Amino acid sequence: MASVFENVEAAPADAIFALTADYKADTFPEKVNLGIGAYRTEEGKPWVLPVVREADRRMVNDETLDHEYLPILGLESFRKAASKLILGADSKAIEEGRVGAAQCISGTGAVYAGAYFLSKHYPFKKAACYISKPTWANHRAIFEGVGIPVLEYPYWNEKTKGLDLEGMLNTMREAPSGSIFLLHPCAHNPTGVDPTAEEWKQIADVMEERGHFTFFDTAYQGFASGSLDKDAASVRYFAERGFEMFIAQSFSKNFGLYSERAGNLTIVAKSAEVKNKIESQIAKAQRASISNPPAYGVRLVSMVLNDAELYKEWEGNLQTMAGRIQLMRKELVDELTRLGTPGSWKHITDQIGMFSYTGLNAEQSKLLKEKYHVYLTSNGRISMAGLNTKNVKYFAKAVHEVVTGSHAA
């Protein structure tokens, strides 16, 4: 008897995780993995942050902790601290009781929780969600998955290797009033290109004028520049101007807690009453999907965020990660310049955060993988964390040969 699922089509493998699997299977000794967005040390190893080790030690020795269910909306001390982290200790919205939060399954779960709520309760029923071109692939999958149409706004300017501000603003002006715009507050994935403070002001002006809904997705606060406040500046600016918005927060990168799925959805509403209603609906949805969120990762994060000594140590850990990535950007550009690689590579040091949009095309990216065992995505995005002083020259030489065509010589 045939299966009732006989006609189900096999889904394609996730491109990033498939790339990682190919890398692991490669036996070439000088292979380089620049695909997945996870921090690596100078030795190319994962890094458990020292502050996380200390928080973990304290937690293990705390006999008052148990394994009971968390509330449906999650650990309250974590939720409040996470919202305070992104909005600032002096946030007027927090002071007025207009800020709510829901602990989610990392940043992905936070985007999903917000998207699902909007699909059920956003009054502009035909509103589309506009995502940057390019963006993290899951953005499209999440919003389309809950039934919200997805459109794109220009972001990457191929000619300047920077932000296409006019294209972005024009799309915002032309979009139907009440559209949803998903914005990256810092360390844009995949380009590493962020608006300046003045450009954020222009973006906010058009968003306000057109009555669009702001949905921030922040996965790199503190990891991008090394400053938690600097990386939150755009979000805080929107909050100060009175925007109603959702902010998806991930603690995977800035705490190195990739597998623990610690995330938060911060809600900034117009009133405490509205905030309470939104929280109640998100709690209802979470009860039907995950019932209760996990405790381990958020307990670690909460301990650090609520302890002055650990918080200071965490800031130092963030500066270590951000500083090493900034150094790799400089060393890569210096080596490409030394080799005389055609074109300007200044955009690599102008960009910020985990990723760099190199400008390499799909054919060049494929050649880097097949001939040089360098694993990067087909759009030329590289994870800067995968570079170190031992492989940066090898990578630069490979790029030089692919760009100049000397690989075929």
Side-chain angles (χ1 to χ4, degrees):
M1 181 178 177
S3 169
V4 293
F5 303 111
E6 196 74 33
N7 294 322
V8 173
E9 293 184 7
D14 181 271
I16 297 295
F17 286 93
L19 194 69
T20 301
D22 289 344
Y23 168 80
K24 288 180 176 179
D26 191 340
T27 58
F28 186 69
E30 292 184 277
K31 63 182 180 179
V32 182
N33 184 7
L34 303 180
I36 198 162
Y39 181 76
R40 294 292 181 262
T41 64
E42 168 63 18
E43 292 72 38
K45 303 294 185 183
W47 191 42
V48 178
L49 273 61
V51 73
V52 169
R53 287 201 185 277
E54 174 59 21
D56 191 45
R57 185 193 66 78
R58 294 187 190 184
M59 199 166 76
V60 168
N61 292 316
D62 186 349
E63 294 185 1
T64 67
L65 293 178
D66 54 41
H67 297 286
E68 293 296 295
Y69 291 120
L70 291 183
I72 295 172
L73 285 177
L75 186 67
E76 186 176 13
S77 63
F78 163 76
R79 293 163 50 215
K80 287 185 174 180
S83 295
K84 179 181 172 182
L85 181 73
I86 191 65
L87 293 172
D90 58 350
S91 166
K92 183 180 178 182
I94 292 177
E95 183 183 333
E96 293 173 349
R98 299 187 287 110
V99 174
Q103 180 192 331
C104 298
I105 309 299
S106 201
T108 304
V111 174
Y112 177 84
Y116 183 81
F117 173 86
L118 292 172
S119 75
K120 298 295 183 182
H121 304 286
Y122 194 51
F124 298 89
K125 293 301 180 185
K126 294 183 179 180
C129 176
Y130 286 77
I131 60 176
S132 64
K133 184 180 182 181
T135 192
W136 180 50
N138 246 0
H139 285 151
R140 177 179 291 277
I142 290 168
F143 278 89
E144 288 183 343
V146 299
I148 295 177
V150 173
L151 299 173
E152 294 178 320
Y153 58 86
Y155 195 87
W156 171 257
N157 185 320
E158 181 64 39
K159 186 176 180 180
T160 65
K161 302 291 190 294
L163 177 66
D164 183 0
L165 180 65
E166 278 312 304
M168 181 181 183
L169 294 177
N170 286 338
T171 299
M172 288 178 167
R173 293 185 185 104
E174 294 167 3
S177 180
S179 295
I180 303 160
F181 275 81
L182 195 144
L183 305 171
H184 304 228
C186 69
H188 181 271
N189 180 3
T191 69
V193 173
D194 290 347
T196 64
E198 175 55 33
E199 288 168 341
W200 275 118
K201 181 181 182 301
Q202 295 178 59
I203 292 166
D205 287 345
V206 178
M207 289 287 289
E208 185 176 60
E209 177 189 321
R210 298 293 299 143
H212 296 323
F213 184 78
T214 303
F215 197 136
F216 279 112
D217 182 13
T218 176
Y220 300 97
Q221 186 183 356
F223 187 101
S225 68
S227 165
L228 291 157
D229 293 329
K230 183 177 180 180
D231 291 348
S234 56
V235 175
R236 294 176 187 179
Y237 177 69
F238 272 63
E240 287 165 8
R241 287 188 53 162
F243 279 85
E244 205 160 27
M245 58 186 174
F246 287 169
I247 309 148
Q249 297 168 266
S250 167
F251 294 92
S252 293
K253 272 75 173 179
N254 54 14
F255 270 87
L257 293 172
Y258 302 98
S259 65
E260 306 307 336
R261 316 311 291 146
N264 189 62
L265 178 68
T266 288
I267 302 149
V268 181
K270 289 291 186 181
S271 69
E273 181 184 8
V274 171
K275 176 264 292 183
N276 290 337
K277 290 178 182 178
I278 296 171
E279 278 191 334
S280 73
Q281 289 295 340
I282 290 175
K284 179 182 176 183
Q286 292 225 131
R287 177 63 173 145
S289 57
I290 64 169
S291 198
N292 310 79
Y296 175 69
V298 297
R299 279 175 172 166
L300 288 173
V301 174
S302 179
M303 185 182 293
V304 173
L305 295 185
N306 289 293
D307 182 290
E309 179 187 353
L310 292 178
Y311 189 93
K312 185 176 181 180
E313 182 179 356
W314 179 47
E315 288 183 303
N317 293 171
L318 288 168
Q319 288 162 11
T320 294
M321 292 190 288
R324 199 188 80 74
I325 287 178
Q326 288 162 7
L327 177 62
M328 285 303 101
R329 289 183 181 277
K330 180 180 183 302
E331 292 202 4
L332 176 57
V333 172
D334 285 350
E335 186 61 16
L336 290 169
T337 302
R338 187 189 71 79
L339 292 169
T341 309
S344 171
W345 299 93
K346 183 176 176 293
H347 59 280
I348 292 175
T349 47
D350 288 343
Q351 295 164 4
I352 193 170
M354 179 79 77
F355 301 110
S356 176
Y357 220 49
T358 60
L360 296 167
N361 60 38
E363 183 180 347
Q364 291 168 330
S365 300
K366 182 181 178 184
L367 189 58
L368 281 168
K369 178 184 176 184
E370 293 178 351
K371 183 174 175 64
Y372 297 93
H373 306 265
V374 174
Y375 291 80
L376 70 163
T377 54
S378 61
N379 59 10
R381 186 200 80 169
I382 61 171
S383 173
M384 294 303 304
L387 291 177
N388 54 60
T389 56
K390 300 176 185 69
N391 64 21
V392 67
K393 289 186 177 181
Y394 173 79
F395 174 62
K397 183 173 182 289
V399 170
H400 177 79
E401 291 181 3
V402 164
V403 170
T404 60
S406 56
H407 66 278

